Amino acid sequence: MSLVNSSATWVQTPSIYNNLTSSRHNSANSYLYHPLKNKLPFSIFLPNPIIKTAIPFSSFSIAAILTKEQTNAPQAESSKSKEDQIFPTSPSFDFKAYVLQKADSVNKALEEAVLLRDPLKIHESMRYSLLAGGKRVRPMLCIAACELFGGQESVAMPSACAAEMIHTMSLMHDDLPCMDNDDLRRGKPTNHKAFGEDVAVLAGDALLAFSFEYIATATKGVPSERIVRVIGELARSIGCEGLVAGQMVDICSEGMSDVGLEHLEFIHVHKTAALLEGSVVMGAILGGANAEQVAKLRKFARCIGLLFQVVDDILDVTKSSQELGKTAGKDLVADKTTYPKLLGIEKSREFAEKLNREAQDQLAEFDPEKAAPLIALASYIAYRDN
């Protein structure tokens, strides 16, 4: 892993996440407002006349699990790599080992969940994309959130796998000619290139349906009330108040010349951040978090969800297709509005660091050792290179 940016000077800006009292998640009937229709400020770069209290910043970050000597050591004199400085190893937590262990567990669970069976072609298509690799960020976040509250990996695994199934479905559909029309995903031909558009659509639909079945039938060791809440959370995060809403506004925005930050953030808070948020919240619910703790984790997840997209936009214009495992520069070719297009590369990196710090601030009240995986995963999202 290399850094997207390792030496930028970050600046403070007003926050999108100030007292999210109007969020759809505060009740089953509420929703995230569309900034264009409701005229509510949505950009963290814009003043907010309605919500005035800013989230306080704390010094709690990945550095919290560094020793004092490591934190104070001049960079030029340090023998540690930049990767080790951002993802440090401590006697109680080794991020690299954690990622390898969780990814292995998730991959095995996915392999066992979606077996080859009749009709053979649809299951081959499902497995082709689902088992093609990937960072497994959403499953890891789900498991880490569950473990933060004392839950077991086995309890969170069905929900973690469901999040990855839905994420894979969204990529399969997003790559279709009627959407982004992409030929490369995770270093391989996209699903419709390998199996045809008709099969890719049906395989995506099958993964979506099976994700809910898998949560309902495979989750063990927690009250059924929690499982129902998890299913509801996941459904909201991907439907017309979540992922689909973001995708729809994204499609309708093609060719628009006046797309601003509010509009762009609406797209990505829904299209990208919503499923990341759902993954974290599902884990927290399964782990037994109370309402206040779930709210903290939700805010954390929304920050890193938007962070994920900002970094994606940066990588799209700074990395090659070979490095990314998908087509690079496609947003530029399609003349899509992105954060680098609106802000420039450096301001986009400043924005990414601000979101990372704000996300980690939400974890300040939790045991640093138990929160270490979430802290490190946030920094991984910020500093990933593909």
Side-chain angles (χ1 to χ4, degrees), residues 70-93:
Q70 286 174 311
T71 305
N72 294 334
Q75 181 176 341
E77 297 176 7
S78 174
S79 61
K80 289 183 175 293
S81 68
K82 182 64 67 175
E83 181 179 330
D84 287 335
Q85 290 172 355
I86 294 173
F87 308 114
T89 299
S90 73
S92 59
F93 179 69

PDB file of all heavy atoms in Angstrom, residues 70-93:
ATOM      1  N   GLN A  70       7.462   7.042  18.987  1.00  0.00           N
ATOM      2  CA  GLN A  70       7.169   6.963  17.557  1.00  0.00           C
ATOM      3  C   GLN A  70       6.495   8.227  17.072  1.00  0.00           C
ATOM      4  O   GLN A  70       6.772   8.731  16.002  1.00  0.00           O
ATOM      5  CB  GLN A  70       6.266   5.759  17.284  1.00  0.00           C
ATOM      6  CG  GLN A  70       6.977   4.425  17.367  1.00  0.00           C
ATOM      7  CD  GLN A  70       5.996   3.294  17.222  1.00  0.00           C
ATOM      8  OE1 GLN A  70       4.959   3.264  17.887  1.00  0.00           O
ATOM      9  NE2 GLN A  70       6.309   2.352  16.359  1.00  0.00           N
ATOM     10  N   THR A  71       5.572   8.749  17.869  1.00  0.00           N
ATOM     11  CA  THR A  71       4.825   9.929  17.475  1.00  0.00           C
ATOM     12  C   THR A  71       5.741  11.134  17.346  1.00  0.00           C
ATOM     13  O   THR A  71       5.584  11.958  16.439  1.00  0.00           O
ATOM     14  CB  THR A  71       3.720  10.224  18.516  1.00  0.00           C
ATOM     15  OG1 THR A  71       2.918   9.071  18.669  1.00  0.00           O
ATOM     16  CG2 THR A  71       2.874  11.406  18.069  1.00  0.00           C
ATOM     17  N   ASN A  72       6.694  11.273  18.269  1.00  0.00           N
ATOM     18  CA  ASN A  72       7.552  12.447  18.282  1.00  0.00           C
ATOM     19  C   ASN A  72       8.776  12.315  17.385  1.00  0.00           C
ATOM     20  O   ASN A  72       9.479  13.294  17.135  1.00  0.00           O
ATOM     21  CB  ASN A  72       8.025  12.732  19.715  1.00  0.00           C
ATOM     22  CG  ASN A  72       6.864  13.125  20.608  1.00  0.00           C
ATOM     23  OD1 ASN A  72       5.867  13.628  20.133  1.00  0.00           O
ATOM     24  ND2 ASN A  72       7.001  12.873  21.910  1.00  0.00           N
ATOM     25  N   ALA A  73       9.062  11.118  16.908  1.00  0.00           N
ATOM     26  CA  ALA A  73      10.274  10.913  16.116  1.00  0.00           C
ATOM     27  C   ALA A  73      10.173  11.648  14.793  1.00  0.00           C
ATOM     28  O   ALA A  73       9.165  11.538  14.103  1.00  0.00           O
ATOM     29  CB  ALA A  73      10.472   9.418  15.862  1.00  0.00           C
ATOM     30  N   PRO A  74      11.200  12.398  14.406  1.00  0.00           N
ATOM     31  CA  PRO A  74      11.191  13.077  13.114  1.00  0.00           C
ATOM     32  C   PRO A  74      11.098  12.061  11.990  1.00  0.00           C
ATOM     33  O   PRO A  74      11.728  11.000  12.040  1.00  0.00           O
ATOM     34  CB  PRO A  74      12.539  13.812  13.081  1.00  0.00           C
ATOM     35  CG  PRO A  74      12.974  13.889  14.506  1.00  0.00           C
ATOM     36  CD  PRO A  74      12.418  12.672  15.173  1.00  0.00           C
ATOM     37  N   GLN A  75      10.330  12.398  10.957  1.00  0.00           N
ATOM     38  CA  GLN A  75      10.109  11.469   9.869  1.00  0.00           C
ATOM     39  C   GLN A  75      11.423  11.101   9.178  1.00  0.00           C
ATOM     40  O   GLN A  75      11.651   9.954   8.814  1.00  0.00           O
ATOM     41  CB  GLN A  75       9.143  12.092   8.849  1.00  0.00           C
ATOM     42  CG  GLN A  75       8.832  11.176   7.683  1.00  0.00           C
ATOM     43  CD  GLN A  75       7.798  11.788   6.767  1.00  0.00           C
ATOM     44  OE1 GLN A  75       7.074  12.702   7.155  1.00  0.00           O
ATOM     45  NE2 GLN A  75       7.721  11.301   5.550  1.00  0.00           N
ATOM     46  N   ALA A  76      12.291  12.070   8.997  1.00  0.00           N
ATOM     47  CA  ALA A  76      13.534  11.815   8.278  1.00  0.00           C
ATOM     48  C   ALA A  76      14.416  10.833   9.019  1.00  0.00           C
ATOM     49  O   ALA A  76      15.222  10.124   8.420  1.00  0.00           O
ATOM     50  CB  ALA A  76      14.301  13.120   8.065  1.00  0.00           C
ATOM     51  N   GLU A  77      14.266  10.773  10.341  1.00  0.00           N
ATOM     52  CA  GLU A  77      15.127   9.914  11.138  1.00  0.00           C
ATOM     53  C   GLU A  77      14.502   8.549  11.392  1.00  0.00           C
ATOM     54  O   GLU A  77      15.135   7.663  11.952  1.00  0.00           O
ATOM     55  CB  GLU A  77      15.441  10.582  12.479  1.00  0.00           C
ATOM     56  CG  GLU A  77      16.207  11.888  12.337  1.00  0.00           C
ATOM     57  CD  GLU A  77      16.420  12.572  13.667  1.00  0.00           C
ATOM     58  OE1 GLU A  77      16.087  11.971  14.699  1.00  0.00           O
ATOM     59  OE2 GLU A  77      16.914  13.704  13.663  1.00  0.00           O
ATOM     60  N   SER A  78      13.250   8.396  10.988  1.00  0.00           N
ATOM     61  CA  SER A  78      12.567   7.145  11.274  1.00  0.00           C
ATOM     62  C   SER A  78      13.004   6.070  10.295  1.00  0.00           C
ATOM     63  O   SER A  78      13.112   6.302   9.099  1.00  0.00           O
ATOM     64  CB  SER A  78      11.046   7.339  11.166  1.00  0.00           C
ATOM     65  OG  SER A  78      10.393   6.104  11.316  1.00  0.00           O
ATOM     66  N   SER A  79      13.230   4.877  10.822  1.00  0.00           N
ATOM     67  CA  SER A  79      13.594   3.759   9.964  1.00  0.00           C
ATOM     68  C   SER A  79      12.363   3.009   9.486  1.00  0.00           C
ATOM     69  O   SER A  79      12.454   2.106   8.661  1.00  0.00           O
ATOM     70  CB  SER A  79      14.514   2.798  10.727  1.00  0.00           C
ATOM     71  OG  SER A  79      13.838   2.277  11.869  1.00  0.00           O
ATOM     72  N   LYS A  80      11.187   3.393   9.997  1.00  0.00           N
ATOM     73  CA  LYS A  80       9.957   2.720   9.613  1.00  0.00           C
ATOM     74  C   LYS A  80       9.456   3.263   8.282  1.00  0.00           C
ATOM     75  O   LYS A  80       9.627   4.429   7.966  1.00  0.00           O
ATOM     76  CB  LYS A  80       8.869   2.901  10.682  1.00  0.00           C
ATOM     77  CG  LYS A  80       9.152   2.127  11.962  1.00  0.00           C
ATOM     78  CD  LYS A  80       8.013   2.281  12.931  1.00  0.00           C
ATOM     79  CE  LYS A  80       8.226   1.413  14.165  1.00  0.00           C
ATOM     80  NZ  LYS A  80       8.155  -0.005  13.860  1.00  0.00           N
ATOM     81  N   SER A  81       8.772   2.416   7.520  1.00  0.00           N
ATOM     82  CA  SER A  81       8.186   2.847   6.259  1.00  0.00           C
ATOM     83  C   SER A  81       6.969   3.710   6.539  1.00  0.00           C
ATOM     84  O   SER A  81       6.408   3.695   7.639  1.00  0.00           O
ATOM     85  CB  SER A  81       7.776   1.624   5.430  1.00  0.00           C
ATOM     86  OG  SER A  81       6.693   0.954   6.062  1.00  0.00           O
ATOM     87  N   LYS A  82       6.540   4.441   5.522  1.00  0.00           N
ATOM     88  CA  LYS A  82       5.336   5.261   5.668  1.00  0.00           C
ATOM     89  C   LYS A  82       4.130   4.385   5.988  1.00  0.00           C
ATOM     90  O   LYS A  82       3.268   4.736   6.780  1.00  0.00           O
ATOM     91  CB  LYS A  82       5.101   6.040   4.370  1.00  0.00           C
ATOM     92  CG  LYS A  82       3.885   6.964   4.421  1.00  0.00           C
ATOM     93  CD  LYS A  82       4.046   8.066   5.445  1.00  0.00           C
ATOM     94  CE  LYS A  82       5.140   9.025   5.059  1.00  0.00           C
ATOM     95  NZ  LYS A  82       5.212  10.170   6.005  1.00  0.00           N
ATOM     96  N   GLU A  83       4.086   3.198   5.379  1.00  0.00           N
ATOM     97  CA  GLU A  83       2.988   2.272   5.642  1.00  0.00           C
ATOM     98  C   GLU A  83       2.939   1.890   7.116  1.00  0.00           C
ATOM     99  O   GLU A  83       1.875   1.858   7.738  1.00  0.00           O
ATOM    100  CB  GLU A  83       3.162   1.029   4.775  1.00  0.00           C
ATOM    101  CG  GLU A  83       2.067  -0.014   4.926  1.00  0.00           C
ATOM    102  CD  GLU A  83       2.295  -1.203   4.032  1.00  0.00           C
ATOM    103  OE1 GLU A  83       2.893  -1.046   2.964  1.00  0.00           O
ATOM    104  OE2 GLU A  83       1.865  -2.295   4.423  1.00  0.00           O
ATOM    105  N   ASP A  84       4.117   1.607   7.703  1.00  0.00           N
ATOM    106  CA  ASP A  84       4.153   1.208   9.109  1.00  0.00           C
ATOM    107  C   ASP A  84       3.795   2.363  10.028  1.00  0.00           C
ATOM    108  O   ASP A  84       3.255   2.165  11.120  1.00  0.00           O
ATOM    109  CB  ASP A  84       5.548   0.695   9.471  1.00  0.00           C
ATOM    110  CG  ASP A  84       5.822  -0.678   8.876  1.00  0.00           C
ATOM    111  OD1 ASP A  84       4.844  -1.406   8.627  1.00  0.00           O
ATOM    112  OD2 ASP A  84       6.997  -0.999   8.648  1.00  0.00           O
ATOM    113  N   GLN A  85       4.093   3.608   9.604  1.00  0.00           N
ATOM    114  CA  GLN A  85       3.746   4.756  10.439  1.00  0.00           C
ATOM    115  C   GLN A  85       2.238   4.967  10.478  1.00  0.00           C
ATOM    116  O   GLN A  85       1.677   5.373  11.492  1.00  0.00           O
ATOM    117  CB  GLN A  85       4.451   6.004   9.908  1.00  0.00           C
ATOM    118  CG  GLN A  85       5.959   5.968  10.127  1.00  0.00           C
ATOM    119  CD  GLN A  85       6.660   7.120   9.437  1.00  0.00           C
ATOM    120  OE1 GLN A  85       6.046   7.901   8.724  1.00  0.00           O
ATOM    121  NE2 GLN A  85       7.958   7.217   9.654  1.00  0.00           N
ATOM    122  N   ILE A  86       1.567   4.692   9.365  1.00  0.00           N
ATOM    123  CA  ILE A  86       0.126   4.892   9.314  1.00  0.00           C
ATOM    124  C   ILE A  86      -0.623   3.690   9.870  1.00  0.00           C
ATOM    125  O   ILE A  86      -1.648   3.818  10.521  1.00  0.00           O
ATOM    126  CB  ILE A  86      -0.312   5.173   7.873  1.00  0.00           C
ATOM    127  CG1 ILE A  86       0.281   6.510   7.436  1.00  0.00           C
ATOM    128  CG2 ILE A  86      -1.813   5.217   7.743  1.00  0.00           C
ATOM    129  CD1 ILE A  86       0.069   6.823   5.997  1.00  0.00           C
ATOM    130  N   PHE A  87      -0.114   2.473   9.633  1.00  0.00           N
ATOM    131  CA  PHE A  87      -0.732   1.256  10.121  1.00  0.00           C
ATOM    132  C   PHE A  87       0.229   0.573  11.088  1.00  0.00           C
ATOM    133  O   PHE A  87       0.814  -0.460  10.780  1.00  0.00           O
ATOM    134  CB  PHE A  87      -1.069   0.328   8.955  1.00  0.00           C
ATOM    135  CG  PHE A  87      -1.858   0.989   7.880  1.00  0.00           C
ATOM    136  CD1 PHE A  87      -1.324   1.190   6.620  1.00  0.00           C
ATOM    137  CD2 PHE A  87      -3.139   1.435   8.124  1.00  0.00           C
ATOM    138  CE1 PHE A  87      -2.057   1.809   5.626  1.00  0.00           C
ATOM    139  CE2 PHE A  87      -3.883   2.062   7.138  1.00  0.00           C
ATOM    140  CZ  PHE A  87      -3.335   2.244   5.893  1.00  0.00           C
ATOM    141  N   PRO A  88       0.439   1.148  12.264  1.00  0.00           N
ATOM    142  CA  PRO A  88       1.472   0.635  13.169  1.00  0.00           C
ATOM    143  C   PRO A  88       1.088  -0.709  13.777  1.00  0.00           C
ATOM    144  O   PRO A  88      -0.073  -1.039  13.923  1.00  0.00           O
ATOM    145  CB  PRO A  88       1.536   1.712  14.245  1.00  0.00           C
ATOM    146  CG  PRO A  88       0.165   2.306  14.250  1.00  0.00           C
ATOM    147  CD  PRO A  88      -0.298   2.274  12.826  1.00  0.00           C
ATOM    148  N   THR A  89       2.105  -1.447  14.127  1.00  0.00           N
ATOM    149  CA  THR A  89       1.929  -2.709  14.833  1.00  0.00           C
ATOM    150  C   THR A  89       2.200  -2.471  16.313  1.00  0.00           C
ATOM    151  O   THR A  89       3.206  -1.880  16.671  1.00  0.00           O
ATOM    152  CB  THR A  89       2.893  -3.768  14.294  1.00  0.00           C
ATOM    153  OG1 THR A  89       2.606  -3.988  12.909  1.00  0.00           O
ATOM    154  CG2 THR A  89       2.737  -5.076  15.047  1.00  0.00           C
ATOM    155  N   SER A  90       1.293  -2.901  17.165  1.00  0.00           N
ATOM    156  CA  SER A  90       1.487  -2.795  18.601  1.00  0.00           C
ATOM    157  C   SER A  90       1.389  -4.191  19.179  1.00  0.00           C
ATOM    158  O   SER A  90       0.964  -5.126  18.500  1.00  0.00           O
ATOM    159  CB  SER A  90       0.407  -1.886  19.215  1.00  0.00           C
ATOM    160  OG  SER A  90      -0.840  -2.553  19.228  1.00  0.00           O
ATOM    161  N   PRO A  91       1.777  -4.355  20.451  1.00  0.00           N
ATOM    162  CA  PRO A  91       1.684  -5.693  21.055  1.00  0.00           C
ATOM    163  C   PRO A  91       0.274  -6.263  21.006  1.00  0.00           C
ATOM    164  O   PRO A  91       0.096  -7.477  20.995  1.00  0.00           O
ATOM    165  CB  PRO A  91       2.138  -5.449  22.497  1.00  0.00           C
ATOM    166  CG  PRO A  91       3.026  -4.245  22.411  1.00  0.00           C
ATOM    167  CD  PRO A  91       2.419  -3.377  21.349  1.00  0.00           C
ATOM    168  N   SER A  92      -0.737  -5.388  20.972  1.00  0.00           N
ATOM    169  CA  SER A  92      -2.116  -5.868  21.021  1.00  0.00           C
ATOM    170  C   SER A  92      -2.825  -5.826  19.677  1.00  0.00           C
ATOM    171  O   SER A  92      -3.898  -6.403  19.534  1.00  0.00           O
ATOM    172  CB  SER A  92      -2.911  -5.039  22.029  1.00  0.00           C
ATOM    173  OG  SER A  92      -2.893  -3.670  21.655  1.00  0.00           O
ATOM    174  N   PHE A  93      -2.252  -5.159  18.679  1.00  0.00           N
ATOM    175  CA  PHE A  93      -2.958  -5.038  17.407  1.00  0.00           C
ATOM    176  C   PHE A  93      -1.982  -4.913  16.248  1.00  0.00           C
ATOM    177  O   PHE A  93      -1.127  -4.043  16.224  1.00  0.00           O
ATOM    178  CB  PHE A  93      -3.894  -3.820  17.426  1.00  0.00           C
ATOM    179  CG  PHE A  93      -4.630  -3.635  16.116  1.00  0.00           C
ATOM    180  CD1 PHE A  93      -5.603  -4.537  15.734  1.00  0.00           C
ATOM    181  CD2 PHE A  93      -4.324  -2.574  15.271  1.00  0.00           C
ATOM    182  CE1 PHE A  93      -6.281  -4.382  14.522  1.00  0.00           C
ATOM    183  CE2 PHE A  93      -5.002  -2.408  14.073  1.00  0.00           C
ATOM    184  CZ  PHE A  93      -5.976  -3.320  13.704  1.00  0.00           C
TER     185      PHE A  93
END
